[in-house]
Amino acid sequence: MQLSRSCTATWPAAHHSRRVVAAHRPQEAVKPATTLINAIRPPLQKLQSVPAVAQPCPAAVEQQSSRRSVQCASSAGGAAAAPAPAASSPWKVPAYILLWYAFNIIFNILNKSALNAFPCPWFISTWQLMASALFMVGLWVTGLQPAPKVDRGFMMALMPVALFHTIGHVSACVSFSQVAVSFAHIVKSAEPVFSVILSGPILGQTYPWYVWGSLLPIVAGCSLSALKEVSFSWAGFNNAMISNLGMVLRNIYSKKSLNDYKHIDGINLFGLISCASLLYCIPAALYVERGMWEGAWQAAVASLGPGPFYQLLLTSGLFYHLYNQASYMVLDQGVSPVTFSVGNTMKRVAVVVSAVMFFRNPVSLLNWVGSSIAIFGTYLYSVATDRAKEEAKKKNQA
């Protein structure tokens, strides 16, 4: 079923049109996601029995590969100091890591399947932010997570952070609509490059030579992977890079603006950012895509059926929040920065491999080599930055 108009798939700078043929996507299948939805209900019951936990840093798991300390493992440079980890059962760390991996893999599959069926990334990214906000409001209302106390000053400091979070999240969703999930994640592994380059002029931070050197395999790996990528498009590549830029700026300005609000723990800060981001995302989505939603919605319902399509949207939003919450559960167990870095690196590998297997994307040997080099580079960067922090700490104590 064809539409005369289609959803745009670039950041506001570009509004190119393309025909939406929801039922005939050559790259990645849509209907297998309905069977996945039926298989993922049991893990939800397990997570629902675990209360939301507080963490020292805000934001999404994708940023945790860039900052490898417990104080600012994933986002904006730590709005609060890390609390001393409580004694925990030995099974908790592997159980939470398993949930983190599983939820992240499921989210990426559901997200791409939803974009294949309903190729309106602005709508879907807005819905995911709303789902996360609603989830947190539910935790606050029921008392499962203590509600944060905020004032006007905090909200003013939060709004720039929320703006960059919106840019990073929407651009990533747009990129996933244009290229294969596996390739988009490889490009997003280049985020440390932006972090090192921008932290200097904005925060005044300097990095030793070995941190800069750790960026070389990331750049080389992304370049090699792009050379033979079947799904490659400049729009998808550029949007993944814009996402990297947005997430890094979110991290930097969170560290710069929110450092005085240490009483806001990480999981609450993530929820507040999701709520504030809707103030930017809803009007922007209405401006960019509003005229295209009706036709795309009808095509998706005709292709999948109403029930499966609604389930696909619902679960993609739900798992967007769950995989972020699971990452905070891992951090709450007091794992070391290097251990978390290894876990996050392997998580990216698991996402890339699972996406290739599920969607059956053709991947060349050069793709695999480049992807492996880039992912290994992100681990080297994490280890290098940890070493730089330790050396700076010893220097200050001397």
Side-chain angles (χ1 to χ4, degrees), residues 332-371:
D332 192 47
Q333 302 309 303
V335 297
S336 70
V338 174
T339 300
F340 190 87
S341 175
V342 173
N344 195 57
T345 301
M346 296 309 298
K347 182 216 70 176
R348 192 179 294 276
V349 173
V351 170
V352 170
V353 172
S354 62
V356 170
M357 293 176 63
F358 186 86
F359 295 112
R360 299 182 181 179
N361 303 120
V363 181
S364 68
L365 178 61
L366 193 60
N367 285 133
W368 283 119
V369 172
S371 300

Side-chain angles (χ1 to χ4, degrees), residues 3 18 95-96 256:
L3 305 176
R18 57 189 173 92
Y96 289 165
K256 187 175 182 180

Side-chain angles (χ1 to χ4, degrees), residues 37 85 96 154 157 173 183 207 257 292 306 318 330 343:
I37 292 171
Y96 289 165
F154 172 80
C173 196
F183 179 66
Y207 293 93
S257 304
M292 308 167 191
L318 180 61
V330 175

Side-chain angles (χ1 to χ4, degrees), residues 204-275:
Q205 292 182 346
T206 58
Y207 293 93
W209 64 269
Y210 52 82
V211 173
W212 288 93
S214 68
L215 302 178
L216 295 178
I218 299 177
V219 175
C222 289
S223 301
L224 285 175
S225 182
L227 287 177
K228 293 294 184 179
E229 174 58 40
V230 176
S231 70
F232 180 85
S233 75
W234 280 110
F237 178 85
N238 290 337
N239 275 301
M241 284 297 187
I242 292 173
S243 177
N244 288 340
L245 178 62
M247 290 303 186
V248 167
L249 288 173
R250 179 203 64 185
N251 295 351
I252 290 174
Y253 277 92
S254 180
K255 184 174 183 178
K256 187 175 182 180
S257 304
L258 300 178
N259 199 42
D260 294 334
Y261 299 94
K262 299 180 184 295
H263 64 285
I264 306 292
D265 58 53
I267 190 66
N268 278 338
L269 191 52
F270 175 68
L272 290 169
I273 289 175
S274 296
C275 295

Side-chain angles (χ1 to χ4, degrees), residues 13 28 34 36 49 78 107 120 129 152 216 225 241 273 287 292 308 350 379:
E28 296 171 322
T34 59
L36 178 65
S49 64
F107 164 72
C120 296
L129 289 172
R152 184 176 181 274
L216 295 178
S225 182
M241 284 297 187
I273 289 175
Y287 174 77
M292 308 167 191
Y379 169 71

